[in-house]
Amino acid sequence: MNFADTLSLSIRTIKSNRLRTGITVAIIALGIAALIGINTAIQAISQKFMESFSSMGANGFTIRYRSAFRFDRGELKKEEKGGKKLKKSNTNKPITREQAEGFKERYKFPGKVSLSLSGGNNNSASFGNKKTNPTVYINGGDENYLDMNGFEIAAGRNINELDVSTGRNVCLIGKDVYDKLFGTSNPETPVEKIININNIPFRVIGTLESKGSTFGRSLDNNIITTYNSVRRFFTSSASSTFTIGVKTADINQIETAIGEAEGLFRVLRKNEIKEESNFLIDKSDAFVELAMRQIGWLTGSAVVIGFITLMGAAIGLMNIMLVAVTERTKEVGLIKAIGGKQGDVRWQFLLEAILISLLGAVIGIFLGVLLGNIVSMLMSTGFVVPWLWVLLGVLICTVVGLAAGSYPAYKASRLNPIEALRYE
């Protein structure tokens, strides 16, 4: 028997045992679908996360207040070893407008500085008889806020320094907001119209390009105004805290820029020499690094889940192939009686196991990519195909087929043809 005859015989045997083949294929497909599906979803999440933090770039950093709830990713312990102590009274101290504006005025390192203040997400906007849900995000910024956060203007103009200094009621609105209020996707329509935000009139000076969504939150369901307007209407001045964003002109000078920013802001925050800073500085790539570490753990978990499932599938496949050897003892005896060699019988059973595994791989990969891209659709990212994991899935299933089929194939090839023909 040549290889083509052996392969043909293996395929016919698989077709003649559809129920048994189907169950085995389903088990293997489940394991591969879990492996591919989870990794496809993780890749979509990673892609969206990178898009979300790419706006500031690796040459940016953020200054924010220090929370008492340890969101500093462990810097506290590291800094304590350096001899500086953090007073408990220094945590949760908001960054005031005077401190933020003082930093912007005195920070002379080449680059851009942006001040921002959050107005929360329990706001609503109305125009005429149309009104949004009370879930609109209000963000206060300055003339650099859009550039620092990756927003682009679709129509109209940006906030300028006069808008900020006078605190006049002007705003830019996201796509979801103007779609809801004006019933149009034309970004020109809302410009120069007066809308009410929490019953306070604001003039729309511009509309924003769509940014999609991140982790279930729409980035288009937002309104951007000046931080002075947010401070007056949307926050309590006692509890509000400013965030300072800095983008340097040269990525190679980021550490120097951070050092100069920390020195200046320590003076503004009245930190003593031996006292730890009562604020935090986050590099943009630190967020990405932290997220990638967490995503790495998720990927490892997905691999473990997939391999456990595939191990069960391999055991099931080996069991089925051993049963097949017993059921087809006469067939093996007949093949040997007409001149078939041990190698032919061995290859027949091995090919059956490999073909069943690969069939499970194809179905599992298709299902895994389909299920994983449901997450991609929810996050508004492009269609994701994890080609590395697809290739690994095919390779793993081939190995599973070889491992599960080796012993049954060896057992079948060692059968005595005379005893096999007499087997009942």
Side-chain angles (χ1 to χ4, degrees), residues 388-408:
L388 176 61
W389 286 102
V390 168
L391 293 173
L392 281 174
V394 173
L395 180 62
I396 289 166
C397 280
T398 304
V399 172
V400 166
L402 281 168
S406 294
Y407 178 68

Side-chain angles (χ1 to χ4, degrees), residues 6-311:
T6 306
L7 179 61
S8 177
L9 185 58
S10 298
I11 294 171
R12 285 202 302 272
T13 305
I14 290 171
K15 287 181 179 179
S16 64
N17 295 281
R18 293 182 181 178
L19 179 60
R20 187 167 59 198
T21 300
I23 293 171
T24 312
V25 166
I27 296 171
I28 295 170
L30 182 63
I32 290 295
L35 189 64
I36 299 295
I38 295 173
N39 280 288
T40 302
I42 288 172
Q43 191 167 319
I45 293 170
S46 176
Q47 181 179 322
K48 190 64 180 181
F49 194 89
M50 292 298 289
E51 288 175 2
S52 300
F53 284 98
S54 63
S55 57
M56 187 174 284
N59 59 329
F61 60 93
T62 303
I63 303 174
R64 60 182 174 88
Y65 83 111
R66 167 161 274 170
S67 168
F69 293 100
R70 291 295 309 276
F71 292 121
D72 51 42
R73 301 184 312 285
E75 287 99 338
L76 183 57
K77 288 185 178 178
K78 293 178 184 176
E79 291 171 351
E80 283 175 350
K81 290 179 181 178
K84 292 183 179 180
K85 295 182 179 180
L86 175 66
K87 294 180 181 179
K88 289 185 178 179
S89 59
N90 272 344
T91 58
N92 284 341
K93 271 194 171 182
I95 296 174
T96 65
R97 183 186 68 171
E98 290 74 19
Q99 291 169 351
E101 289 181 343
F103 178 87
K104 184 176 181 180
E105 181 181 348
R106 295 170 61 179
Y107 188 68
K108 301 303 180 182
F109 199 88
K112 289 184 179 180
V113 177
S114 172
L115 310 182
S116 62
L117 187 64
S118 173
N121 66 332
N122 56 345
N123 308 284
S124 62
S126 61
F127 178 77
N129 60 355
K130 294 183 178 180
K131 189 175 182 179
T132 67
N133 293 326
T135 56
V136 177
Y137 285 82
I138 302 291
N139 291 301
D142 56 13
E143 68 280 2
N144 294 325
Y145 181 82
L146 295 189
D147 178 46
M148 297 287 284
N149 290 275
F151 288 100
E152 293 185 7
I153 296 174
R157 67 172 178 85
N158 188 15
I159 294 169
N160 58 37
E161 292 183 20
L162 186 60
D163 295 327
V164 176
S165 61
T166 59
R168 54 192 179 191
N169 294 9
V170 296
C171 67
L172 296 101
I173 59 177
K175 189 175 186 304
D176 289 351
V177 177
Y178 70 75
D179 280 351
K180 180 73 174 178
L181 296 184
F182 297 92
T184 177
S185 58
N186 182 2
E188 299 280 354
T189 304
V191 179
E192 297 303 324
K193 302 291 194 304
I194 303 296
I195 65 172
N196 288 311
I197 306 173
N198 295 355
N199 297 319
I200 303 166
F202 276 78
R203 179 166 60 91
V204 178
I205 59 171
T207 55
L208 302 171
E209 294 281 1
S210 176
K211 284 193 73 175
S213 60
T214 297
F215 302 113
R217 173 200 161 184
S218 174
L219 298 176
D220 299 323
N221 188 36
N222 69 328
I223 297 174
I224 296 171
T225 182
T226 67
Y227 61 76
N228 280 323
S229 292
V230 167
R231 189 168 174 270
R232 283 166 56 202
F233 300 119
F234 304 106
T235 67
S236 166
S237 57
S239 61
S240 60
T241 179
F242 278 74
T243 300
I244 303 170
V246 181
K247 184 186 283 188
T248 62
D250 186 355
I251 190 172
N252 296 319
Q253 296 181 324
I254 184 72
E255 296 299 334
T256 306
I258 289 175
E260 188 169 320
E262 183 175 16
L264 171 60
F265 208 55
R266 280 180 62 85
V267 173
L268 293 170
R269 296 276 281 180
K270 296 181 171 58
N271 288 138
E272 296 177 5
I273 294 175
K274 293 186 177 181
E275 184 181 78
E276 190 178 350
S277 299
N278 59 1
F279 57 90
L280 292 175
I281 297 180
D282 291 316
K283 290 174 64 177
S284 299
D285 57 359
F287 288 106
V288 177
E289 182 183 343
L290 179 65
M292 290 303 104
R293 195 180 303 124
Q294 300 303 321
I295 287 172
W297 281 106
L298 285 175
T299 305
S301 301
V303 171
V304 170
I305 292 169
F307 272 111
I308 290 172
T309 310
L310 286 171
M311 190 179 295

